[in-house]
Amino acid sequence: MSDEDRAARLLALTGMTPDVLRAGLTDPAVLGAVMEFLAAHEPDLIAAAAALDIAPEKLAAAGRELTR
C-alpha cells in the first residue's frame, strides 16, 4: 500500500484501520476484503499487480479463491 490515496480509500471503504489491516495479513477474510477492494476498481488492480510484478489476471484469480 505504497500509494497513499489507494491506502486511504481502502481503509475508508472497508472500515479497517491500519492496525487491523496489519494484524490481518494472514487472515483470509481480511485478504479477501483487500482483493474485493482491488477488483472493484480496475486501475487499483492493475497498479497493485504491477507493484507485485504479477499479471492482473492472476491477482484477480487469487482474490476469487479467497472470497469463495
Side-chain angles (χ1 to χ4, degrees):
M1 298 293 338
S2 61
D3 182 295
E4 289 183 29
D5 290 336
R6 187 177 328 123
R9 275 197 325 278
L10 169 67
L11 297 176
L13 292 173
T14 62
M16 287 189 269
T17 65
D19 290 335
V20 169
L21 183 58
R22 277 187 217 96
L25 290 177
T26 59
D27 181 344
V30 171
L31 294 174
V34 171
M35 295 305 296
E36 285 181 15
F37 166 79
L38 291 173
H41 189 63
E42 187 176 10
D44 286 340
L45 178 66
I46 291 169
L52 295 168
D53 195 29
I54 187 171
E57 299 82 17
K58 286 191 173 194
L59 192 56
R64 286 190 297 276
E65 287 296 316
L66 284 169
T67 58
R68 284 205 290 164

